[in-house]
Amino acid sequence: MKSRDCLCAKRAYIAAMEKLITHKKPADTKVVVAMSGGVDSSVTAALLVEAGYDVVGITLQLYDHGAAVAKKGACCAGQDIYDARNVADKLGFSHYVLDYESRFRDSVIENFADSYLTGETPVPCIRCNQTVKFRDLLSTAKDLNADALATGHYIKRAEGKYGPELHRALDSSRDQSYFLFATTNKQLNFLRFPLGDLPKSDTRAHASRFNLPVAEKPDSQDICFVPNGSYARVVEKLRPGAIEPGDIVDFDGNVIGRHEGIIRFTVGQRRGLGIGGRDQNSEPLYVIRLEPKSKRVVVGPREALAVNSISLKEVNWLGQEDEPPPNKGLSVKYRSMMEPVPANICRMSGNDGAEVSFDEPQYGISSGQACVFYKGERVMGGGWIIDNQGAAAWRKPYKNIKPMI
């Protein structure tokens, strides 16, 4: 009975994979798979091979992997390239390594360093998906006459009334929709995400079923080019001399401590301020604002973090041209691990900006982070946060804002 259940499940997975691209038979369909060397992209390739597709694997060399080969949990390092090649060899499809170091540095790493120096908290994984992967790699896939580019992201692509849509993954603990808000409708026509309907446990089970050499490989945890999670060390290397000490001040401008560089702090941070001598009964202090020009870190009570609205730039809207815009039931995420909260979104006419107002005050929102829009499980787009109004919100009583669309 157990073997029969496994056989039925296998047939179901094959049938699901065959529906990924409906206008051609799998044997006549070339799919490029972005392979990081991890279990997710490896299983993606294996499922497509099993369903009969003509698979081509591509791994991107994004930085000097010679220095990172010993770093556990990093994607696209030397060991990861080796693992991706081993998977391709085992499954019997072509595999290529493309040198994207200069593109990655220009589009992701330089932006990462500059953002931290301006007091922002960047999300380089979004920039990488937006530029190197879904712009440059997608273009390469088309040059290879591929019919689709598949990745191991946990997100769902669904055919809607007006065209393809993005939806949150079945496994909410693995959902990566926050990191893919910048995907355009044109790109979505070409992209496929075979793992969107799978829990991580099933992905691991498939890896064992295919006897993949990466079946037991741990998931990557850190940003690939940030050794040991030390953002400050990377920025110091990229911008030598640009990181300077400064004052930690309270909300009224009184100096209460010193710091070794604003890049070591983010809005909403409580730990690691190094402010000694405070009474144990006093109210905890949080980072409220970063002031790069004066090199000041402004701290205050939690109430000072409250915001009732934020401004966005580079807004990407995933509604189709003929689709009426939603006027209710929208929610947003401004951190990857949070659940969406109700919000009203007003898109600015004539530019790529938007204003987001919240039904309830929100805390610890930082410039440089993404704000992603949802309608139920569907991803409607998002933008980059450019205005943190925490200080202003604290000085004035909070007031609800009326719906804006």
Side-chain angles (χ1 to χ4, degrees):
M1 182 68 179
K2 185 176 181 180
S3 60
R4 182 178 179 182
D5 289 342
C6 291
L7 179 61
C8 291
K10 178 180 176 180
R11 288 173 176 171
Y13 283 122
I14 293 176
M17 291 302 104
E18 290 176 343
K19 295 179 181 178
L20 283 177
I21 303 170
T22 56
H23 64 284
K24 296 172 70 175
K25 294 180 179 179
D28 300 324
T29 305
K30 180 184 287 186
V31 182
V32 167
V33 178
M35 300 187 68
S36 68
V39 65
D40 295 331
S41 60
S42 297
V43 169
T44 295
L47 289 171
L48 291 170
V49 169
E50 183 180 53
Y53 289 98
D54 178 12
V55 172
V56 176
I58 291 182
T59 301
L60 303 180
Q61 180 177 312
L62 300 180
Y63 55 91
D64 183 4
H65 61 81
V69 65
K71 177 181 182 295
K72 294 182 179 180
C75 69
C76 309
Q79 181 63 47
D80 297 315
I81 293 173
Y82 176 80
D83 289 340
R85 181 173 289 125
N86 277 349
V87 169
D89 288 344
K90 178 175 179 56
L91 295 173
F93 60 83
S94 300
H95 175 258
Y96 303 95
V97 179
L98 303 182
D99 184 354
Y100 274 26
E101 281 192 38
S102 61
R103 304 185 194 198
F104 185 69
R105 184 180 183 92
D106 293 343
S107 298
V108 181
I109 297 180
E110 297 292 340
N111 175 270
F112 173 85
D114 290 339
S115 294
Y116 262 113
L117 291 177
T118 58
E120 296 182 336
T121 304
V123 191
C125 293
I126 296 178
R127 286 294 185 192
C128 183
N129 290 326
Q130 182 181 22
T131 57
V132 175
K133 292 180 180 176
F134 290 175
R135 183 191 67 195
D136 299 338
L137 178 57
L138 189 146
S139 178
T140 298
K142 289 184 176 180
D143 290 341
L144 292 173
N145 295 317
D147 296 281
L149 170 64
T151 77
H153 288 104
Y154 285 86
I155 191 169
K156 293 195 288 188
R157 178 188 184 276
E159 289 295 337
K161 179 180 179 181
Y162 298 93
E165 302 173 352
L166 275 183
H167 290 250
R168 298 176 73 185
L170 174 69
D171 187 345
S172 60
S173 68
R174 305 297 300 183
D175 175 55
Q176 293 175 293
S177 60
Y178 179 85
F179 300 98
L180 297 174
F181 83 85
T183 305
T184 66
N185 286 318
K186 185 176 181 180
Q187 292 168 346
L188 192 54
N189 285 323
F190 196 71
L191 289 166
R192 298 296 186 275
F193 308 104
L195 304 187
D197 283 309
L198 299 183
K200 181 69 178 190
S201 57
D202 278 15
T203 301
R204 288 285 182 187
H206 280 303
S208 297
R209 177 169 71 86
F210 290 116
N211 196 27
L212 297 180
V214 296
E216 302 300 324
K217 188 174 182 178
D219 294 334
S220 59
Q221 300 294 328
D222 299 327
I223 296 172
C224 61
F225 61 91
V226 181
N228 304 315
S230 178
Y231 305 152
R233 187 175 304 173
V234 171
V235 177
E236 286 173 338
K237 184 177 180 180
L238 292 170
R239 301 289 186 270
I243 301 171
E244 300 179 86
D247 293 328
I248 298 176
V249 302
D250 64 17
F251 212 68
D252 294 318
N254 300 310
V255 177
I256 58 176
R258 293 282 292 174
H259 66 80
E260 296 180 355
I262 64 169
I263 67 166
R264 302 178 188 277
F265 303 92
T266 187
V267 172
Q269 180 177 333
R270 177 182 173 186
R271 298 180 181 275
L273 293 177
I275 303 173
R278 288 179 53 80
D279 189 289
Q280 292 183 350
N281 296 322
S282 61
E283 191 173 9
L285 295 178
Y286 298 79
V287 175
I288 305 301
R289 187 171 64 251
L290 301 174
E291 299 179 349
K293 291 184 178 180
S294 63
K295 308 179 189 64
R296 299 199 311 175
V297 174
V298 182
V299 299
R302 184 174 182 274
E303 288 82 358
L305 290 169
V307 299
N308 50 17
S309 66
I310 53 177
S311 300
L312 308 180
K313 67 176 181 178
E314 298 180 43
V315 170
N316 178 53
W317 190 254
L318 276 169
Q320 302 290 333
E321 288 187 8
D322 298 333
E323 182 178 7
N327 55 13
K328 61 180 180 178
L330 289 173
S331 58
V332 302
K333 291 173 65 171
Y334 50 84
R335 286 192 294 268
S336 62
M337 298 304 293
M338 68 178 291
E339 281 299 310
V341 296
N344 302 299
I345 302 166
C346 179
R347 299 169 64 193
M348 302 291 101
S349 60
N351 59 38
D352 62 355
E355 293 288 328
V356 177
S357 60
F358 301 105
D359 291 359
E360 299 290 341
Q362 301 298 308
Y363 296 82
I365 301 179
S366 176
S367 297
Q369 295 278 290
C371 180
V372 182
F373 315 148
Y374 297 87
K375 185 173 179 61
E377 294 298 300
R378 183 181 173 188
V379 184
M380 299 305 302
W384 295 97
I385 300 169
I386 59 174
D387 186 20
N388 177 10
Q389 302 177 27
W394 186 55
R395 289 189 182 278
K396 301 175 183 179
Y398 177 82
K399 295 181 179 179
N400 285 324
I401 296 179
K402 295 179 180 180
M404 304 177 76
I405 62 173

